[in-house]
Amino acid sequence: MSTKQLQKPLFDFSSIQLILPGFILCCVIAAAASFVSNQYGGPKFLYALLIGISFHFLVDNPKCVKGIEICAKKLVRVGVALLGVRIAISDISDLGLLGVVALAGGVVLTISFSMLLSRILKLPYMLGLLAGGATGICGISAAMAVSSTLPQNEDNEKYTLLTAIGVAAFSTAAMVLYPLIVGTFNLSVSEAGLFLGGSIHDVAQVVGAGYIISPEVGDAATLAKMFRVAMLMPVIMFLVVALRSEREKFDGKEGKRQPLIPFFLVMFAVFIIINQFGFIPEAAVTQISQLSSWCLVISIAALGVKTSFEKLIGLGWKPIALLFSNTIFIALYMLTMVYLSRVINA
């Protein structure tokens, strides 16, 4: 054995030292955002974004940059994969055929509407996909998942952050306003659950809006929302295949084929199947769901650190108009489906 081999350390700590400062920074921001959310209410994702933006001056710090990059691009995939434990295929039967068709149609039509409107407004297709996916599926989690299928460049990060901020703001507003709509139109428990779960973007806001009305509406809204979360799988699968060549081109890996199905998406499906057969104890499901949430909050904090308000302001009013229009579109669509179900069941 050579002297060099004898002197070689068992563990190379240099790579850990490069990652650790930025990783700790993002974790601290995520912890602060969660604390503020728990103490004073409001979406922790939005807090993580805003606090992260205030630390933008560290994005070029050589001690932090590696850890921030890993949190922003890698950790999000772990969080999305772990989302699978929250979904059980057997729950779909409780929604009924019309509920399933209405919710699945809402996802497809909202993304299509967003893509069409982004073209009319002359916005990039990436923003149309991100805004449509976030509004149609499950808010910031969906925005992060869709972002992982797009070419990984500076524009993608900028649009992802803008989508996350906008969808968090509109989702919070919907949590407060939509229960008033339920009362105004005198919706039943099942109708209110379908409307709230099918139109509000983020899971936390759906739960909040539902339980403001009653525990029964809260349960119904959560079930409808989890079906929309389950729609994340086929949508991401489609985008992975459709954008594969363009992603390779932007990533500078033309000629080197990327896997048809990313590993994080495979794990997402595996967790759904395992949960369907009840192999994961309820306590473990809760813990894994919390871990998934932490991964996503840390990732969104890292994305906040990487982006400045100046860049967001430079995008103008059109992205906000896009997100607002998507929010109105899916709300009107779900109200239409609710009244259609009332006519059919009459």
Side-chain angles (χ1 to χ4, degrees):
M1 187 178 289
S2 67
T3 305
K4 285 186 177 180
Q5 288 176 319
L6 287 172
Q7 293 177 344
K8 187 177 180 180
L10 292 175
F11 299 99
D12 183 11
F13 290 102
S14 58
S15 58
I16 297 177
Q17 291 173 343
L18 283 173
I19 295 171
L20 203 56
F23 180 77
I24 291 175
L25 169 68
C26 296
C27 287
V28 170
I29 292 172
S34 298
F35 174 80
V36 173
S37 177
N38 291 334
Q39 294 295 314
Y40 303 103
K44 60 184 175 182
F45 287 109
L46 182 58
Y47 295 146
L49 280 170
L50 298 178
I51 296 172
I53 290 173
S54 68
F55 284 89
H56 176 67
F57 64 93
L58 290 174
V59 72
D60 294 322
N61 189 309
K63 293 182 179 180
C64 297
V65 63
K66 188 70 174 179
I68 293 171
E69 284 292 326
I70 286 179
C71 288
K73 294 183 178 180
K74 303 293 184 184
L75 202 59
V76 60
R77 299 190 172 198
V78 178
V80 172
L82 295 177
L83 277 176
V85 301
R86 302 170 65 176
I87 301 167
I89 299 172
S90 58
D91 292 338
I92 294 174
S93 60
D94 295 335
L95 291 170
L97 179 60
L98 184 60
V100 169
V101 172
L103 292 168
V107 171
V108 174
L109 290 175
T110 302
I111 294 175
S112 301
F113 173 80
S114 183
M115 292 292 292
L116 176 62
L117 186 57
S118 66
R119 189 169 183 177
I120 293 173
L121 293 173
K122 297 182 179 179
L123 292 170
Y125 83 92
M126 285 194 297
L127 185 54
L129 270 177
L130 285 164
T135 307
I137 306 175
C138 55
I140 293 177
S141 300
M144 300 295 283
V146 171
S147 176
S148 68
T149 70
L150 298 174
Q152 298 300 299
N153 53 36
E154 187 177 344
D155 285 341
N156 175 29
E157 294 174 354
K158 184 167 55 178
Y159 298 144
T160 302
L161 181 66
L162 181 66
T163 300
I165 291 175
V167 84
F170 287 127
S171 189
T172 302
M175 180 181 67
V176 176
L177 297 175
Y178 287 9
L180 301 178
I181 295 177
V182 170
T184 300
F185 291 97
N186 197 27
L187 302 184
S188 67
V189 170
S190 60
E191 291 171 346
L194 186 62
F195 169 63
L196 296 175
S199 58
I200 299 178
H201 316 324
D202 280 308
V203 176
Q205 277 78 1
V206 169
V207 173
Y211 283 99
I212 283 174
I213 300 171
S214 72
E216 293 76 18
V217 172
D219 291 343
T222 301
L223 177 60
K225 183 60 184 178
M226 293 319 295
F227 177 80
R228 288 172 69 196
V229 175
M231 286 293 293
L232 187 65
M233 176 72 173
V235 170
I236 297 301
M237 280 283 294
F238 174 79
L239 293 178
V240 165
V241 175
L243 301 175
R244 187 181 182 189
S245 59
E246 188 169 352
R247 193 168 57 252
E248 289 168 348
K249 177 182 176 182
F250 272 87
D251 292 345
K253 296 179 181 177
E254 217 168 1
K256 181 181 178 181
R257 302 297 287 173
Q258 295 185 354
L260 184 60
I261 304 176
F263 182 69
F264 81 95
L265 204 55
V266 173
M267 292 308 300
F268 181 83
V270 167
F271 278 122
I272 292 176
I273 294 170
I274 293 175
N275 191 36
Q276 167 65 27
F277 289 102
F279 293 146
I280 307 177
E282 190 65 33
V285 169
T286 301
Q287 295 298 321
I288 295 172
S289 296
Q290 290 177 352
L291 178 59
S292 171
S293 179
W294 273 107
C295 289
L296 294 174
V297 173
I298 293 170
S299 297
I300 205 73
L303 203 59
V305 174
K306 293 185 67 177
T307 308
S308 64
F309 268 125
E310 288 81 4
K311 291 181 179 179
L312 293 179
I313 293 170
L315 293 173
W317 60 270
K318 291 183 179 180
I320 303 301
L322 174 65
L323 285 163
F324 177 74
S325 299
N326 287 349
T327 300
I328 298 299
F329 174 84
I330 195 169
L332 292 176
Y333 167 82
M334 290 310 303
L335 277 177
T336 302
M337 291 297 103
V338 164
Y339 273 91
L340 179 61
S341 70
R342 183 176 287 185
V343 171
I344 291 174
N345 295 326

